[in-house]
Amino acid sequence: MTAVVLASLVCSNAAAREKFDRGITMQTFMPKGMWFFGGNISYTQHNNEDYKMLGLLNDFSSRGYTFAVRPMFGYTFKDNMAAGLAFTYQRSMLQIDNVSLSLGDLSFGISDYYNIEHVYTGTIFLRNYINLGSSRRFALINDLKLQFGGGQGKLINGAGGDLTGTYTKIYQIGLLCSPGVSVFVNNFASVEATIGVLGYQYKRTEQTTNQIHHGSRTTSGANFKIDIFSIALGMVFYL
């Protein structure tokens, strides 16, 4: 009786393994010993002159830009596994000459507003390549990033005797998970796209207004969501 039970268990276990065999085979997409480097550059600009929108926003005059450069390099220390460093410099400016907002009986306006900010961020990352079947051109990638950043900003508001100025220092740290896809256009170059979906971020901002008043603000939090503002598209070269 015992032998029959054991035999049935072995048979059912073998059947279960056969039933749930998905045929997934791991192949070497990125071999050990490869150096790679790349990055991306982005620039956006806007300019509004007496712009109106839906009767709520009136006489909107502003200009601004955002510039960012993100170089990176790494090394595959194991098949389908790599580690590397990345650096980001981002500079943004916003100047509002005039804007009026009307909400029924409530209305207010902003004028003579100027803000400029630049942030430096260093990143240590660990990357995993996952092949898509037997393809040597397409692969999924996943980056685990440890980021350290800091920067400065300046805000000027008002004019004449009502002029106020605020100087800002920024400190931030984060641990992020960014999956994506890598598409090789030839044997040595690929186009990569990643997006942040999981991570923890801590940010501290210290402010000094008119060299007299001091204040600070701290934010932190973990999330599991698609962050559309973290989408990165770049070119990477392999040696």
Side-chain angles (χ1 to χ4, degrees):
M1 182 65 179
T2 303
V4 174
V5 173
L6 290 176
S8 63
L9 289 176
V10 171
C11 292
S12 62
N13 191 25
R17 286 199 301 270
E18 182 178 356
K19 180 179 179 181
F20 291 102
D21 183 9
R22 296 178 174 86
I24 299 175
T25 57
M26 294 301 297
Q27 298 183 5
T28 300
F29 181 84
M30 188 59 57
K32 176 183 176 181
M34 297 288 291
W35 286 94
F36 58 92
F37 66 94
N40 63 73
I41 298 176
S42 62
Y43 179 79
T44 59
Q45 181 179 0
H46 76 269
N47 191 0
N48 302 298
E49 293 292 341
D50 296 326
Y51 180 72
K52 301 179 185 295
M53 185 179 67
L54 301 177
L56 300 177
L57 201 64
N58 300 303
D59 303 324
F60 186 22
S61 298
S62 71
R63 60 191 57 86
Y65 66 84
T66 298
F67 168 78
V69 57
R70 305 176 181 89
M72 55 86 76
F73 72 93
Y75 177 76
T76 55
F77 61 90
K78 182 181 178 182
D79 288 350
N80 294 335
M81 293 291 294
L85 299 174
F87 176 79
T88 300
Y89 171 73
Q90 180 170 310
R91 182 181 180 91
S92 59
M93 186 276 289
L94 174 63
Q95 179 176 340
I96 300 177
D97 298 325
N98 183 70
V99 60
S100 299
L101 182 63
S102 299
L103 300 173
D105 296 332
L106 178 64
S107 62
F108 61 91
I110 299 175
S111 62
D112 300 317
Y113 175 92
Y114 176 83
N115 183 41
I116 189 166
E117 182 179 285
H118 60 92
V119 178
Y120 304 86
T121 304
T123 303
I124 303 172
F125 67 87
L126 182 66
R127 169 173 292 189
N128 182 30
Y129 293 86
I130 304 173
N131 62 284
L132 294 175
S134 59
S135 175
R136 297 298 180 89
R137 185 178 294 271
F138 302 92
L140 299 177
I141 57 176
N142 183 58
D143 289 346
L144 182 62
K145 304 176 181 179
L146 179 60
Q147 298 181 332
F148 302 90
Q152 298 174 336
K154 180 175 65 175
L155 187 154
I156 299 174
N157 191 21
D162 297 327
L163 179 67
T164 60
T166 300
Y167 178 74
T168 303
K169 290 184 178 180
I170 302 168
Y171 308 93
Q172 57 190 21
I173 185 173
L175 181 63
L176 307 175
C177 180
S178 300
V181 62
S182 176
V183 181
F184 274 77
V185 296
N186 58 39
N187 289 332
F188 306 101
S190 70
V191 177
E192 297 182 353
T194 61
I195 183 170
V197 297
L198 174 67
Y200 172 82
Q201 289 185 318
Y202 170 87
K203 182 177 181 180
R204 178 177 174 84
T205 303
E206 298 179 354
Q207 292 183 332
T208 302
T209 302
N210 296 336
Q211 300 297 323
I212 299 175
H213 305 287
H214 300 274
S216 64
R217 180 173 182 263
T218 300
T219 60
S220 63
N223 65 76
F224 182 72
K225 63 181 180 180
I226 296 177
D227 184 3
I228 62 174
F229 296 104
S230 69
I231 296 177
L233 180 67
M235 196 79 181
V236 179
F237 300 91
Y238 290 81
L239 303 176

